[in-house]
Amino acid sequence: METILERRGDGIALVRINRPEARNALNPAVREQLAAHFHDLAAGEEVRCAVIAGSDKVFAAGADIKAMAEASPSEMMRRPDVWVAIRAFPKPLIAAVNGWALGGGCELALHADIIVAGESARFGQPEIKVGIMPGAGGTQRLTRAIGKYKAMKILLTGEPVTAREAEALGFVTEVVPDAEVLDRALALAKSIAALPPVAARKIKEVVLHGADMPLEAALLLERQAFQLMFDTADQKEGMAAFIEKRAPQFRGR
Ligand code: DAK
């Protein structure tokens, strides 16, 4: 299989891209499998937080250039939008990035809510060097994350940035030694999965939707989601546990 889905217990799932011979380039099979995995993981309550990773050498070198070199515009139009399953994934998603995250690979990482990168990781949008431009949100997500003038340089030159540069720019959450990337991402996932899942989903929903709204409307969205938390058993348990000075037992209700 070009991708591997591992349900690890503790509310965590790990999705890995596994096409080492092509630097994890996202060919149709990889894209379709990723979409199916995220569709499955969105359903049900067993998984509360997901991690997406490549190998310890490469995250993903982008869309498969060989699979689209001869494509016509209408063929590109007919391709199913496999990104929607990742875009709409309602649970927290962490990207664990070692090595190259280029083009669609960088855009895949940008779909995550938290990005943990190894010291030697490199991020870039080199599409311009092969005569195209980003097509899975790179022009929009990167610009919204780091601002026009920093994003334009990455998009217009196609030159990669280091993990440390990406962290300073604000789109990598944490940089850790290469060998610790996956463990760190899984540890973060574990701590998030131990917290109330309804609150986690609402935080993600409000942050992502609120970013596209005028401030007053976004604040209203936040307020209504906040009020809804008081309808959950986990809110009652969390606050009771605090008052009673004991550890909370969250049930995801
Ligand atoms: N596509 C196809 N094959 C790739 C590939 C890619 N993106 N990247 C690497 N490979 C293949 C190489 O062709 C080579 O295959 P063989 O020659 O062995 O058959 C093998 O992987 C090893 O590659 P290298 O020999 O180049 O390995 P190195 O370690 O020296 O270099 C590298 C690694 C990642 C720096 C280099 O391979 C590289 O620059 N790769 C291309 C990176 C790139 O340009 N990425 C952007 C692709 S365009 C869309 C949404 C999004 C997109 C498209 C559509 N829609 C919503 C419709 C996104 C577009 C892109 O990402």
Side-chain angles (χ1 to χ4, degrees):
M1 290 296 277
E2 291 85 353
T3 63
I4 299 159
L5 169 61
E6 209 181 304
R7 291 173 188 266
R8 297 175 66 95
D10 290 344
I12 304 171
L14 172 62
V15 179
R16 299 199 78 151
I17 307 168
N18 180 40
R19 262 194 99 204
E21 73 287 357
R23 301 296 183 266
N24 285 348
L26 309 169
N27 67 355
V30 172
R31 293 198 307 269
E32 280 157 26
Q33 288 168 30
L34 289 180
H37 293 326
F38 281 100
H39 187 264
D40 288 352
L41 293 174
E45 297 180 3
E46 176 209 345
V47 169
R48 295 181 173 188
C49 185
V51 175
I52 172 101
S55 68
D56 54 1
K57 302 272 185 311
V58 61
F59 182 72
D64 191 311
I65 296 171
K66 295 166 191 166
M68 65 182 167
E70 300 302 327
S72 68
S74 63
E75 276 163 27
M76 292 307 282
M77 236 169 69
R78 284 198 302 275
R79 283 187 173 190
D81 182 1
V82 288
W83 294 91
V84 69
I86 311 173
R87 201 156 69 231
F89 185 61
K91 305 174 184 181
L93 174 61
I94 301 175
V97 179
N98 278 113
W100 296 103
L102 297 178
C106 186
E107 290 171 309
L108 178 60
L110 289 169
H111 275 69
D113 305 305
I114 292 175
I115 302 178
V116 178
E119 279 161 346
S120 346
R122 299 282 182 279
F123 295 80
Q125 298 286 169
E127 288 90 339
I128 194 165
K129 294 185 174 180
V130 290
I132 58 169
M133 60 175 284
T139 61
Q140 302 309 307
R141 284 202 178 82
L142 196 60
T143 305
R144 287 166 199 221
I146 67 175
K148 170 184 160 187
Y149 295 98
K150 297 293 188 184
M152 282 291 195
K153 185 177 167 195
I154 292 173
L155 297 163
L156 290 173
T157 66
E159 289 303 317
V161 295
T162 65
R164 290 274 175 220
E165 287 166 334
E167 184 189 34
L169 287 166
F171 72 100
V172 157
T173 313
E174 280 184 23
V175 179
V176 299
D178 290 340
E180 294 172 20
V181 173
L182 190 57
D183 284 350
R184 177 62 186 146
L186 290 169
L188 276 171
K190 193 171 172 186
S191 62
I192 292 170
L195 293 166
V198 179
R201 284 175 71 142
K202 278 288 166 196
I203 289 168
K204 173 165 179 167
E205 187 180 297
V206 171
V207 169
L208 294 186
H209 288 274
D212 292 334
M213 295 171 119
L215 181 61
E216 280 305 321
L219 290 172
L220 181 63
L221 185 72
E222 181 193 72
R223 182 127 200 95
Q224 290 173 343
F226 170 81
Q227 289 159 353
L228 197 63
M229 294 298 102
F230 288 79
D231 196 39
T232 65
D234 283 346
Q235 174 267 324
K236 300 287 176 273
E237 168 63 7
M239 293 192 179
F242 173 79
I243 292 164
E244 293 160 17
K245 300 186 188 297
R246 61 175 173 80
Q249 299 292 320
F250 293 122
R251 292 185 297 112
R253 290 284 177 272

